[in-house]
Amino acid sequence: MRIVVISDTHGNSYALESVIMRNTDADWIIHLGDGERELDNFILSHQRLAPKIIHVAGNCDFDSLSDDYIVLPLIGHKLLATHGHLYGVGGSLDKLKALAATNECDIILFGHTHERYQSFEDGFYIMNPGSASIPRDGAKPSFGHIDLTPEGDVVTNIVNV
């Protein structure tokens, strides 16, 4: 199973479309916020992909009706996805880990910082794919993907847009 993770597109429809159209074979496409407007427009023009696209509200998705976080059950795992601004991800991941533990999730996805991050710590696979349009870590715009193997392994990777 492959999950594509994109975040913080901030109006860059080209980056969003580029990532999704190169990964239409993914089982899930998750947008972690700050790009709801261009994502909605993409979905309107690519409705066949809509059933596999999930998104959460970011701090710049004004008047959003989307959830602050989602929990996605997977075979052998459970995934938590959020933008992260409500959980203090700029300073610590402790609140995010607590939310994941409460929801019995072992995979955590977040955005907001525009900085790539991937780790396995405290029993959690954690990924921030960085920003697909405005990175703040000196790297190129990026997105991530997660592969779940039939044996139950989790492989995370962050790649350039």
Side-chain angles (χ1 to χ4, degrees):
M1 170 179 282
R2 174 159 281 196
I3 302 164
V4 170
V5 186
I6 188 168
S7 189
D8 295 285
T9 48
H10 287 282
N12 189 333
S13 298
Y14 175 77
L16 176 77
E17 185 163 352
S18 172
V19 169
I20 295 176
M21 294 310 290
R22 288 186 327 208
N23 293 282
T24 58
D25 58 338
D27 297 287
W28 293 103
I29 299 166
I30 300 176
H31 194 297
L32 297 174
D34 285 357
E36 189 169 321
R37 186 175 336 139
E38 61 269 20
L39 183 62
D40 287 345
N41 289 334
F42 177 86
I43 290 170
L44 285 173
S45 61
H46 298 86
Q47 293 201 3
R48 66 180 174 80
L49 296 174
K52 62 170 71 182
I53 297 175
I54 300 171
H55 66 281
V56 294
N59 60 301
C60 293
D61 292 325
F62 303 110
D63 298 322
S64 175
L65 300 176
S66 299
D67 294 326
D68 294 324
Y69 70 90
I70 57 111
V71 172
L72 180 64
L74 304 166
I75 297 172
H77 298 278
K78 212 168 175 186
L79 180 148
L80 171 81
T82 186
H83 187 61
H85 63 294
L86 299 175
Y87 304 98
V89 297
S92 166
L93 299 180
D94 291 342
K95 289 181 184 177
L96 201 51
K97 290 177 186 178
L99 179 65
T102 298
N103 286 281
E104 301 176 342
C105 297
D106 64 332
I107 300 172
I108 301 172
L109 305 176
F110 72 99
H112 186 60
T113 65
H114 295 226
E115 296 175 359
R116 301 173 184 211
Y117 182 83
Q118 58 184 341
S119 176
F120 179 76
E121 55 192 76
D122 301 325
F124 300 106
Y125 298 92
I126 304 172
M127 175 194 280
N128 179 334
S131 171
S133 65
I134 312 167
R136 294 182 184 150
D137 56 5
K140 293 184 177 188
S142 57
F143 70 99
H145 51 80
I146 301 168
D147 292 305
L148 302 176
T149 69
E151 297 79 24
D153 296 324
V154 176
V155 180
T156 64
N157 195 20
I158 299 173
V159 296
N160 294 339
V161 171

